[in-house]
Amino acid sequence: WNLLQKIWNKVLIYKGYKVVPYDPRIGATLSSHELALGYKDVEDPSITVRFKSQSEENTYFLVWTTTPWTLPSNLALAVGSDIDYSYCRSHGQVLILAEALRSEVFRDIEHKVIKTVKGSALVGTRYEQLFDYIQVDAPNAFQVFAAEFVSTETGTGIVHTAPAYGVDDLALGQANDLPVVHGVGLDGHFIDEVEPVKGLFFKDADKPLIRILKERGMMFRSERYLHSYPFGWRTGDPILYYAKDAWYIRTSQFRDRMTELNKTINWVPEHIRDG
């Protein structure tokens, strides 16, 4: 307690959010070693959704995600500043996506490229909230931000961002004063505010949310894909990546000093010092 008080007096203790792998049935955060025990090959949704631009009529951002259940907690879209994005006219709509992924995304759909811009030109563009079940009081929400983690390897080059459910998402949200908005409780079930799926286990909400998107004409493409996903080694339930608030010690403030002192230590074997 004495040491903790000294750390507190140095203003090194703070309360904040961190996204952790979490088993909702037993309410436990899992270590990386525990995660490694529970990976399975499973089939999950792979969907591309239309997000409607507020500033341009009949214009939509095409956004790919493999976690439809996180969409009610969406607060932002992320693009790469130096990535080329094309405006494509297709069946009376204008759809925006990364030029490098256009052929793959539109593979069987007629379209025409209207113009191509850098991602930096899209930053600040506001869009309509996809699901309005949860009230969000944040002036910075529902707009496009630039992020270094965006790539053109898969998807559409535009990333759905929910700070409550991803490490990169949380970092982008914190950098832009976005709140953490949970649609799912610590028990792994949807809260009452998300009316159509309230009380459902988070993974069981994928199908009804996909159905709602299709009914509203917001679904561009819906498929399935096989991948490796972690499950709780005790319960067999799918792991939830969840932004939990907790108390932390700001050790990162002393990173450079610790690295410097580490060089003075005689490590055996020696390569551990720098490796």
Side-chain angles (χ1 to χ4, degrees), residues 52-86:
K52 193 175 190 304
S53 170
Q54 283 189 15
S55 57
E56 298 176 89
E57 189 176 350
N58 209 26
T59 299
Y60 300 82
F61 295 98
L62 284 186
V63 180
W64 176 69
T65 183
T66 58
T67 53
W69 64 269
T70 64
L71 288 171
S73 294
N74 169 270
L75 294 185
L77 298 179
V79 298
S81 292
D82 296 324
I83 295 174
D84 291 324
Y85 290 87
S86 290

Side-chain angles (χ1 to χ4, degrees), residues 71-230:
L71 288 171
S73 294
N74 169 270
L75 294 185
L77 298 179
V79 298
S81 292
D82 296 324
I83 295 174
D84 291 324
Y85 290 87
S86 290
Y87 284 66
C88 303
R89 189 178 301 281
S90 178
H91 300 287
Q93 295 181 336
V94 176
L95 306 171
I96 306 170
L97 76 165
E99 169 61 23
L101 292 160
R102 178 172 57 85
S103 297
E104 170 60 24
V105 174
F106 282 105
R107 55 186 178 268
D108 52 0
I109 299 173
E110 289 186 14
H111 67 283
K112 179 182 179 181
V113 176
I114 302 172
K115 65 176 179 178
T116 301
V117 301
K118 290 293 184 184
S120 55
L122 300 174
V123 172
T125 305
R126 305 194 71 86
Y127 63 91
E128 294 182 5
Q129 186 178 3
L130 189 65
F131 291 115
D132 59 1
Y133 307 122
I134 303 173
Q135 187 173 352
V136 178
D137 184 17
N140 275 357
F142 313 120
Q143 65 174 300
V144 177
F145 294 99
E148 292 183 359
F149 59 77
V150 180
S151 76
T152 56
E153 292 181 9
T154 55
T156 65
I158 304 176
V159 179
H160 144 61
T161 302
Y165 305 115
V167 175
D168 288 335
D169 303 50
L170 180 62
L172 184 65
Q174 290 174 331
N176 293 283
D177 296 322
L178 295 174
V180 172
V181 176
H182 277 297
V184 175
L186 283 168
D187 62 354
H189 293 76
F190 268 88
I191 61 176
D192 290 347
E193 286 84 344
V194 191
E195 180 69 31
V197 291
K198 69 176 183 179
L200 285 182
F201 190 60
F202 73 100
K203 286 301 292 179
D204 294 336
D206 281 343
K207 286 184 178 179
L209 289 173
I210 287 172
R211 185 176 64 250
I212 292 168
L213 289 170
K214 288 179 178 177
E215 290 170 353
R216 289 171 48 194
M218 304 306 284
M219 183 70 75
F220 178 82
R221 193 184 297 277
S222 179
E223 300 173 314
R224 307 282 296 178
Y225 86 120
L226 185 69
H227 70 139
S228 183
Y229 192 86

